[in-house]
Structure formats: C-alpha cells, structure tokens
Amino acid sequence: MMTLRTLLGALVLPAAAILGASVADPASAGERMERIIAAKTMALGYRADAPPFSMEKDGRAGGFTVELCVEIGKQMRSQLGLTDFSARLVRVDTTDRFDAIARGEADLLCGATTATLSRREVVAFSIPTFSTGVGAVVSASASDLLKEVLISNSAAAFSAAATKEAMAGKTIGVRAGTTAAEWLSAGGIETMTGKPVTEVQDHADGIAMVAEGKLDAYFADKAILVGNIRQARMQDTLLVSQKSFTNEPYAIAIPLGDEALRLAVDRALSRIYRSGRIFELLSSYFGKPSVDMAFFYAAIALPE
C-alpha cells in the first residue's frame, strides 16, 4: 500500500527538470497576461469570510488559497523571467467576485470557489486546487433524528421518510450566491421544511445563528464550515456533516479567454503539486494530509 511519504517522493521533480521545462512565450500572451507582464504585477482577489481558504485577520489577508496564489506568483515570475514581479491583494465579495475578474480589478480569484459549468460562461478556471462538498452544521443539542439525517452516516441519512420527518418545520439557512444555495433550491430539503430558507450575508453569521438557536441547520461547503467553527472555537457546541451532499471542486478563477494566463497558472500549480509544496500549505491549515488527499494532487498535476 502506498504511503503518503512514498507518494510525496514520487511527486517531487529534480530542480533541473523544473528549471529546464519550457515556458509560455510572453509574445503570444493574451490581453490580461500582456497587462500583467507590462505592469510586472498581478492582482489577487480574496474574500474575507471563507476561512481557512481566504480571510482577513488584523487587517491582513491570509488563508490556504491566498498563500497558494502567492506561490503561483512566484512560479510565474520564474516562468516569465522577471526579476521585478509583485502581487497586490484586492478584496472581493461573494456577490461581485466574478465581476471583479471580468472588469480587470482582479487577475486571479483566490478564495473558496467551486468550478461549475454555469460559472465557466463568465470566467475560466485552473486545474482543481481542493475538493470538498456541501454539508450542514447543527447544534450538538439538536434532535437525534436531525443529527442522524444531516450529520452522521447512519441508515436514517439514506431514508427519504426519515429525512422528511427530521426536516419538517425546521428553519435552515444558507449564504446567497453560493453553490450550497443553488443545491438547496434545486433539491427537496427546502420543501420538506415547510419554511423559506433564510439567506445570510456571511458564513460566520449563519453559523452563529445555529449556535444561538435561530437556525436549526446552516448549509455551506464542509471545509468552510469547519474553518469558521474552528475560528469561532465552537467545536464543542456545533457539529458538521460527516458526509458531503455534493462534489465541490475548488479552482482558481481567471479571465475568460486568456489561454496564456490559464496555462501559466496551471503550470505553476502543477509544479507546486509535484514539488510537494502543496502539502506544506495543507498542513498549515488542515493538519497532516491524508493519503487520499495526496492521491488527489498526484492525479491533478499535469505533466510538462
């Protein structure tokens, strides 16, 4: 059985192989890439409310995806042969993040962004950067049936009758403009409650409403739920789904139609994955990566 250490060793490329690989010719760059090269700077869009991926602390941006974008910038500086190359951070919101890319206010979107077909109508995406799925958070004092349906992998979780009974009369919340909101509106859980879904403007607000008893359940990507609960130190009072209701492949959003920029970002990510640097970043925010996570990045990294 392949261990994480063995897989990491297989991923690492010799420095000579990395430095000797070909790079995109700046002369053939797209419009946004040309602007980045001319300005010798890249604008990184980030959200302040999606820990541990993208957040603000003491007025400074941080998080797993923000750090990953910084690493992309370092790789691109090497690819382009620029000694003077920097990145600036631009704060965006869930509702305007794709517009910021389209308007040219941000070149990369470094948050917790699920790559979907509908979103690909307005932005392009890099290769995946993380994998998660929609989950729910409930109070530790919630009814046993509600916890079985939304939190555990018991038989009740796969029973339509049990789910309908557990959700009847419950008040649930979600953040507007997210894939969790789309999933709720398209699925049957919303209709089972008999009540309208409460839309919030911030994940932290939705989680706090569960803790305060104002919501019976709040839905969002599991990784975001875990990050917010850890940040609020509510691990003892709130529970997060063990299972995922959807598949949410995160990726870096980039301007639509600029293949040179997308190639540069994908090349940078692939090198970060193969070098093992990705596991250093993961460890900082999620603890020791699992073997499954190591296989995920091994499969995603593209060969030169």
Side-chain angles (χ1 to χ4, degrees):
M1 182 177 180
M2 184 172 285
T3 65
L4 177 59
R5 182 181 297 275
T6 303
L7 188 59
L8 276 171
L11 282 172
V12 175
L13 281 180
I18 294 176
L19 294 176
S22 61
V23 298
D25 179 5
S28 62
E31 180 180 347
R32 188 70 63 91
M33 189 67 158
E34 287 180 348
R35 193 180 74 179
I36 290 172
I37 294 170
K40 296 182 180 180
T41 186
M42 186 164 57
L44 308 180
Y46 75 95
R47 288 166 53 186
D49 66 332
F53 296 94
S54 181
M55 54 195 172
E56 266 186 10
K57 186 175 182 179
D58 300 326
R60 299 186 64 180
F64 169 74
T65 316
V66 174
E67 285 200 42
L68 183 57
C69 279
V70 171
E71 292 293 325
I72 291 172
K74 293 177 182 178
Q75 288 286 339
M76 286 180 60
R77 178 178 60 191
S78 176
Q79 288 183 41
L80 298 171
L82 299 174
T83 55
D84 182 18
F85 186 74
S86 61
R88 59 185 178 86
L89 293 165
V90 179
R91 183 172 175 175
V92 298
D93 188 70
T94 301
T95 57
D96 71 355
R97 51 185 167 163
F98 300 122
D99 290 336
I101 293 289
R103 291 193 299 261
E105 296 168 4
D107 301 311
L108 305 184
L109 187 56
C110 310
T113 308
T114 302
T116 68
L117 293 174
S118 59
R119 288 174 175 177
R120 282 176 58 185
E121 294 177 358
V122 292
V123 294
F125 287 99
S126 70
I127 58 176
T129 57
F130 196 84
S131 180
T132 185
V134 170
V137 58
V138 305
S139 170
S141 61
S143 70
D144 289 341
L145 184 57
L146 185 64
K147 288 187 285 190
E148 287 182 21
V149 166
L150 295 182
I151 304 301
S152 71
N153 283 319
S154 69
F158 302 95
S159 167
T163 301
K164 185 175 182 179
E165 180 182 348
M167 299 307 302
K170 298 297 187 293
T171 302
I172 61 177
V174 72
R175 179 163 185 178
T178 62
T179 51
E182 295 172 5
W183 173 75
L184 278 176
S185 64
I189 288 183
E190 177 179 350
T191 58
M192 290 179 185
T193 65
K195 294 184 178 181
V197 173
T198 300
E199 291 191 342
V200 301
Q201 298 302 311
D202 187 275
H203 289 302
D205 290 341
I207 291 169
M209 291 174 72
V210 175
E212 296 165 1
K214 297 177 181 178
L215 289 177
D216 294 300
Y218 179 75
F219 291 83
D221 291 353
K222 281 179 56 180
I224 291 179
L225 292 175
V226 171
N228 274 273
I229 289 171
R230 284 178 177 172
Q231 191 173 53
R233 298 181 180 179
M234 294 181 179
Q235 298 96 318
D236 295 333
T237 58
L238 298 176
L239 303 175
V240 178
S241 302
Q242 297 174 18
K243 64 179 181 179
S244 296
F245 298 107
T246 65
N247 174 39
E248 305 289 324
Y250 285 179
I252 305 294
I254 57 181
L256 189 65
D258 198 320
E259 289 302 308
L261 178 56
R262 183 162 71 168
L263 175 61
V265 171
D266 284 348
R267 174 169 280 126
L269 286 171
S270 295
R271 291 177 176 178
I272 292 166
Y273 297 171
R274 291 196 302 264
S275 71
R277 173 59 178 152
I278 188 65
F279 300 106
E280 296 175 13
L281 296 178
L282 285 167
S283 297
S284 298
Y285 292 96
F286 304 99
K288 182 180 178 181
S290 66
V291 172
D292 287 343
M293 187 64 76
F295 272 111
F296 171 78
Y297 288 104
I300 291 302
L302 298 175
E304 289 287 352

